[in-house]
Amino acid sequence: MIAFNFEYYKPDSLGEAVKLYRKLSESGKEPLYYSGGTEIITMARRNDLVTKAVIDIKGIPECNVFEIKGDKLIIGAAVTLNHIDESKLISFISNTADFPADHTSRNKITVGGNICGKIIYKESVLGHLIGDSSACIYGEKGKRIVPIMQAFNQTLQLEKGEFLFQLAAEMSYSTLPYISVKKTKQGKMEYPLISMAAIKKNNNIQMAFSGVCSFPFRSREMEKYINNRAITKEQRIEQAISHLPAPIFGNIQGSSEYKKFVLRNLLEHTLETLDGEGI
Ligand SMILES: Cc1cc2nc3c(=O)[nH]c(=O)nc-3n(C[C@H](O)[C@H](O)[C@H](O)COP(=O)(O)OP(=O)(O)OC[C@H]3O[C@@H](n4cnc5c(N)ncnc54)[C@H](O)[C@@H]3O)c2cc1C
């Protein structure tokens, strides 16, 4: 049971959603954009979150789009993870959409909610980070389209009242060699010990991780070292690890030492799979 009352709004346009957000904020209702609702409902039940109003973005046509437009795959923020997984249009984006939670939950969980939620793993962002997707954000000043590597810094950088309405992924990347791996402590349906995805583009590896640090990331610095063919494979791995963007985050899934061991193995696997001649 949710121990507080809140108002529910379902606008049918981007502009209306933003106007509602402003009006509700001004009246002190601390509104939240609502997508799949799985996290909002769970946190509200536990009293980890309080709001007086939610704005459901599922009635906005742009948020439900899933289509190829020119050279982009446009994915609405309210599209479920299962839908993205089952499409298989860009394999590494589909595979990373299949990482969070269990199949039944992924029927509800949306890509926007997973990327913008409070839970630190946000595994579906990994495919977009390595795939150089763009984040399409709507706010009071209208639409802005930002490369996800710029828009996502530990979390998606949104100004007050803004929301993610689409992701635009590069269709030309759909043929690139890739790997996607989720390592958990026990079963697949757990938070990740480490999950990662990598592609090889123009002879360089692009890789992103969740579970290593306390936020998901893709690090160009690490990529510089992993792609340095002037040094040995072991040196490439060690130098990449020593340039993580933050300390390894030990938790119930695994200690930082154990995560470092798993990360080393994953980087070895990445090089073995993606670094060979002719790949
Ligand atoms: C059983 C279970 C297991 C899970 N396991 C994992 C896991 O292993 N890995 C992992 O990464 N995650 C996992 N999660 C977390 C889960 O992915 C998030 O809680 C969920 O993705 C939220 O998605 P939603 O669409 O339901 O979002 P909602 O509950 O609708 O929203 C979540 C938050 O994001 C905000 N928000 C939603 N959409 C937007 C938007 N378009 N723009 C701006 N803000 C927005 C909301 O205001 C809210 O603060 C798990 C969740 C469950 C229920």
Side-chain angles (χ1 to χ4, degrees):
M1 199 188 94
I2 297 178
F4 56 88
N5 290 325
F6 59 91
E7 294 166 13
Y8 173 86
Y9 296 89
K10 195 171 182 184
D12 54 21
S13 73
L14 296 165
E16 199 193 328
V18 166
K19 266 191 215 143
L20 263 170
Y21 188 97
R22 181 154 58 134
K23 200 174 118 205
L24 294 164
S25 290
E26 283 169 357
S27 51
K29 298 206 164 138
E30 294 177 50
L32 286 176
Y33 288 114
Y34 181 103
S35 195
T38 60
E39 186 178 299
I40 293 180
I41 291 169
T42 309
M43 291 180 76
R45 279 201 186 116
R46 292 191 200 138
N47 278 325
D48 289 337
L49 165 161
V50 180
T51 180
K52 293 197 180 82
V54 299
I55 303 168
D56 192 340
I57 62 166
K58 291 196 295 296
I60 303 171
E62 288 88 339
C63 295
N64 293 300
V65 163
F66 189 84
E67 65 182 20
I68 298 171
K69 220 172 172 182
D71 53 358
K72 310 271 190 231
L73 170 63
I74 308 295
I75 306 174
V79 173
T80 66
L81 295 184
N82 273 350
H83 190 92
I84 299 168
D85 172 32
E86 282 154 19
S87 77
K88 309 282 179 226
L89 285 174
I90 303 178
S91 300
F92 58 86
I93 285 182
S94 290
N95 289 8
T96 47
D98 183 48
F99 281 171
D102 56 281
H103 191 267
T104 310
S105 304
R106 287 193 304 274
N107 275 329
K108 281 250 162 199
I109 297 173
T110 64
V111 64
N114 184 242
I115 293 177
C116 300
K118 300 275 177 291
I119 291 167
I120 60 169
Y121 298 106
K122 308 173 198 306
E123 289 175 282
S124 69
V125 80
L126 301 182
H128 294 284
L129 288 173
I130 59 170
D132 299 317
S133 294
S134 295
C136 310
I137 294 168
Y138 202 86
E140 295 240 337
K141 293 178 208 142
K143 191 193 297 187
R144 61 186 180 102
I145 299 175
V146 192
I148 194 137
M149 275 297 281
Q150 210 174 301
F152 190 89
N153 179 9
Q154 305 194 8
T155 59
L156 191 69
Q157 303 297 302
L158 296 172
E159 287 175 19
K160 190 170 164 60
E162 283 188 331
F163 67 103
L164 178 72
F165 72 97
Q166 283 173 349
L167 292 148
E170 300 289 338
M171 274 309 292
S172 61
Y173 286 29
S174 62
T175 52
L176 295 176
Y178 73 94
I179 56 167
S180 57
V181 183
K182 177 168 181 167
K183 294 278 181 200
T184 58
K185 194 171 167 188
Q186 283 180 322
K188 192 237 163 219
M189 286 173 280
E190 283 179 11
Y191 289 138
L193 177 72
I194 297 183
S195 51
M196 77 164 290
I199 56 172
K200 187 173 185 184
K201 184 187 158 224
N202 300 335
N203 213 28
N204 274 323
I205 293 169
Q206 304 188 168
M207 53 189 191
F209 303 87
S210 172
V212 177
C213 303
S214 59
F215 50 86
F217 66 89
R218 171 180 164 199
S219 158
R220 293 200 198 279
E221 183 77 355
M222 284 177 74
E223 286 172 6
K224 195 173 83 191
Y225 291 100
I226 210 73
N227 286 307
N228 181 3
R229 293 182 181 86
I231 54 178
T232 66
K233 186 174 91 178
E234 290 71 26
Q235 287 169 328
R236 290 162 72 179
I237 293 171
E238 288 315 313
Q239 291 193 6
I241 293 177
S242 61
H243 288 84
L244 282 164
I248 298 180
F249 160 72
N251 62 358
I252 194 167
Q253 266 69 44
S255 65
S256 54
E257 271 313 301
Y258 183 57
K259 284 191 177 185
K260 191 174 188 179
F261 166 78
V262 174
L263 177 61
R264 193 174 283 122
N265 286 342
L266 282 173
L267 290 176
E268 225 175 279
H269 170 65
T270 305
L271 287 181
E272 275 159 16
T273 315
L274 295 181
D275 201 48
E277 289 297 315
I279 294 173

mmCIF file of all heavy atoms in Angstrom, residues 195-211:
data_model
loop_
_atom_site.group_PDB
_atom_site.id
_atom_site.type_symbol
_atom_site.label_atom_id
_atom_site.label_comp_id
_atom_site.label_asym_id
_atom_site.label_seq_id
_atom_site.Cartn_x
_atom_site.Cartn_y
_atom_site.Cartn_z
ATOM 1 N N SER A 195 28.354 -5.630 -15.309
ATOM 2 C CA SER A 195 27.878 -5.885 -16.662
ATOM 3 C C SER A 195 28.650 -4.963 -17.590
ATOM 4 O O SER A 195 29.086 -3.869 -17.182
ATOM 5 C CB SER A 195 26.371 -5.700 -16.777
ATOM 6 O OG SER A 195 25.990 -4.482 -16.253
ATOM 7 N N MET A 196 28.848 -5.430 -18.782
ATOM 8 C CA MET A 196 29.596 -4.619 -19.743
ATOM 9 C C MET A 196 29.127 -4.881 -21.155
ATOM 10 O O MET A 196 28.531 -5.912 -21.446
ATOM 11 C CB MET A 196 31.102 -4.885 -19.641
ATOM 12 C CG MET A 196 31.550 -6.154 -20.281
ATOM 13 S SD MET A 196 33.350 -6.189 -20.552
ATOM 14 C CE MET A 196 33.591 -4.992 -21.858
ATOM 15 N N ALA A 197 29.391 -3.921 -22.006
ATOM 16 C CA ALA A 197 29.151 -4.091 -23.436
ATOM 17 C C ALA A 197 30.280 -3.388 -24.162
ATOM 18 O O ALA A 197 30.818 -2.389 -23.665
ATOM 19 C CB ALA A 197 27.807 -3.492 -23.820
ATOM 20 N N ALA A 198 30.671 -3.952 -25.295
ATOM 21 C CA ALA A 198 31.754 -3.343 -26.074
ATOM 22 C C ALA A 198 31.504 -3.589 -27.549
ATOM 23 O O ALA A 198 30.907 -4.602 -27.928
ATOM 24 C CB ALA A 198 33.099 -3.942 -25.655
ATOM 25 N N ILE A 199 31.937 -2.643 -28.353
ATOM 26 C CA ILE A 199 31.905 -2.824 -29.805
ATOM 27 C C ILE A 199 33.280 -2.497 -30.350
ATOM 28 O O ILE A 199 34.101 -1.862 -29.668
ATOM 29 C CB ILE A 199 30.868 -1.891 -30.501
ATOM 30 C CG1 ILE A 199 31.121 -0.418 -30.163
ATOM 31 C CG2 ILE A 199 29.444 -2.283 -30.181
ATOM 32 C CD1 ILE A 199 30.269 0.563 -30.970
ATOM 33 N N LYS A 200 33.508 -2.938 -31.585
ATOM 34 C CA LYS A 200 34.743 -2.528 -32.249
ATOM 35 C C LYS A 200 34.362 -1.659 -33.438
ATOM 36 O O LYS A 200 33.653 -2.109 -34.348
ATOM 37 C CB LYS A 200 35.522 -3.746 -32.717
ATOM 38 C CG LYS A 200 36.884 -3.384 -33.269
ATOM 39 C CD LYS A 200 37.668 -4.626 -33.551
ATOM 40 C CE LYS A 200 39.071 -4.294 -33.974
ATOM 41 N NZ LYS A 200 39.769 -5.536 -34.345
ATOM 42 N N LYS A 201 34.809 -0.424 -33.383
ATOM 43 C CA LYS A 201 34.468 0.531 -34.450
ATOM 44 C C LYS A 201 35.756 1.172 -34.950
ATOM 45 O O LYS A 201 36.565 1.647 -34.147
ATOM 46 C CB LYS A 201 33.525 1.592 -33.884
ATOM 47 C CG LYS A 201 33.032 2.562 -34.911
ATOM 48 C CD LYS A 201 32.236 3.698 -34.282
ATOM 49 C CE LYS A 201 32.242 4.860 -35.219
ATOM 50 N NZ LYS A 201 32.481 6.125 -34.532
ATOM 51 N N ASN A 202 35.960 1.174 -36.247
ATOM 52 C CA ASN A 202 37.185 1.734 -36.848
ATOM 53 C C ASN A 202 38.428 1.188 -36.145
ATOM 54 O O ASN A 202 39.333 1.938 -35.774
ATOM 55 C CB ASN A 202 37.200 3.269 -36.786
ATOM 56 C CG ASN A 202 36.041 3.878 -37.530
ATOM 57 O OD1 ASN A 202 35.510 3.248 -38.446
ATOM 58 N ND2 ASN A 202 35.626 5.073 -37.126
ATOM 59 N N ASN A 203 38.420 -0.115 -35.895
ATOM 60 C CA ASN A 203 39.558 -0.803 -35.277
ATOM 61 C C ASN A 203 39.800 -0.431 -33.815
ATOM 62 O O ASN A 203 40.829 -0.764 -33.250
ATOM 63 C CB ASN A 203 40.834 -0.557 -36.104
ATOM 64 C CG ASN A 203 41.740 -1.761 -36.056
ATOM 65 O OD1 ASN A 203 41.249 -2.887 -35.882
ATOM 66 N ND2 ASN A 203 43.036 -1.552 -36.158
ATOM 67 N N ASN A 204 38.865 0.273 -33.209
ATOM 68 C CA ASN A 204 38.988 0.631 -31.795
ATOM 69 C C ASN A 204 37.839 0.043 -30.994
ATOM 70 O O ASN A 204 36.704 0.009 -31.475
ATOM 71 C CB ASN A 204 38.966 2.154 -31.622
ATOM 72 C CG ASN A 204 40.352 2.737 -31.784
ATOM 73 O OD1 ASN A 204 41.345 2.137 -31.373
ATOM 74 N ND2 ASN A 204 40.426 3.901 -32.386
ATOM 75 N N ILE A 205 38.155 -0.339 -29.756
ATOM 76 C CA ILE A 205 37.125 -0.887 -28.875
ATOM 77 C C ILE A 205 36.483 0.257 -28.096
ATOM 78 O O ILE A 205 37.177 1.123 -27.562
ATOM 79 C CB ILE A 205 37.761 -1.930 -27.923
ATOM 80 C CG1 ILE A 205 38.228 -3.152 -28.740
ATOM 81 C CG2 ILE A 205 36.784 -2.338 -26.816
ATOM 82 C CD1 ILE A 205 39.099 -4.126 -27.985
ATOM 83 N N GLN A 206 35.152 0.256 -28.057
ATOM 84 C CA GLN A 206 34.390 1.210 -27.226
ATOM 85 C C GLN A 206 33.658 0.358 -26.191
ATOM 86 O O GLN A 206 33.001 -0.614 -26.547
ATOM 87 C CB GLN A 206 33.389 2.005 -28.078
ATOM 88 C CG GLN A 206 34.063 2.723 -29.235
ATOM 89 C CD GLN A 206 33.172 3.699 -30.019
ATOM 90 O OE1 GLN A 206 33.718 4.464 -30.808
ATOM 91 N NE2 GLN A 206 31.877 3.696 -29.824
ATOM 92 N N MET A 207 33.828 0.680 -24.920
ATOM 93 C CA MET A 207 33.265 -0.222 -23.890
ATOM 94 C C MET A 207 32.637 0.574 -22.751
ATOM 95 O O MET A 207 33.069 1.669 -22.422
ATOM 96 C CB MET A 207 34.357 -1.165 -23.361
ATOM 97 C CG MET A 207 35.606 -0.462 -22.890
ATOM 98 S SD MET A 207 36.932 -1.608 -22.539
ATOM 99 C CE MET A 207 38.077 -0.484 -21.726
ATOM 100 N N ALA A 208 31.596 -0.020 -22.165
ATOM 101 C CA ALA A 208 30.895 0.638 -21.058
ATOM 102 C C ALA A 208 30.564 -0.398 -19.987
ATOM 103 O O ALA A 208 30.410 -1.590 -20.297
ATOM 104 C CB ALA A 208 29.618 1.302 -21.563
ATOM 105 N N PHE A 209 30.465 0.072 -18.758
ATOM 106 C CA PHE A 209 30.339 -0.827 -17.604
ATOM 107 C C PHE A 209 29.267 -0.356 -16.626
ATOM 108 O O PHE A 209 29.056 0.846 -16.452
ATOM 109 C CB PHE A 209 31.664 -0.866 -16.822
ATOM 110 C CG PHE A 209 32.834 -1.280 -17.658
ATOM 111 C CD1 PHE A 209 33.550 -0.340 -18.389
ATOM 112 C CD2 PHE A 209 33.200 -2.617 -17.737
ATOM 113 C CE1 PHE A 209 34.617 -0.718 -19.186
ATOM 114 C CE2 PHE A 209 34.273 -3.004 -18.531
ATOM 115 C CZ PHE A 209 34.979 -2.050 -19.258
ATOM 116 N N SER A 210 28.672 -1.333 -15.955
ATOM 117 C CA SER A 210 27.812 -1.028 -14.800
ATOM 118 C C SER A 210 28.239 -1.969 -13.678
ATOM 119 O O SER A 210 28.668 -3.100 -13.939
ATOM 120 C CB SER A 210 26.344 -1.266 -15.173
ATOM 121 O OG SER A 210 25.534 -1.147 -14.041
ATOM 122 N N GLY A 211 28.165 -1.482 -12.443
ATOM 123 C CA GLY A 211 28.518 -2.328 -11.299
ATOM 124 C C GLY A 211 29.964 -2.185 -10.864
ATOM 125 O O GLY A 211 30.327 -2.591 -9.762
#
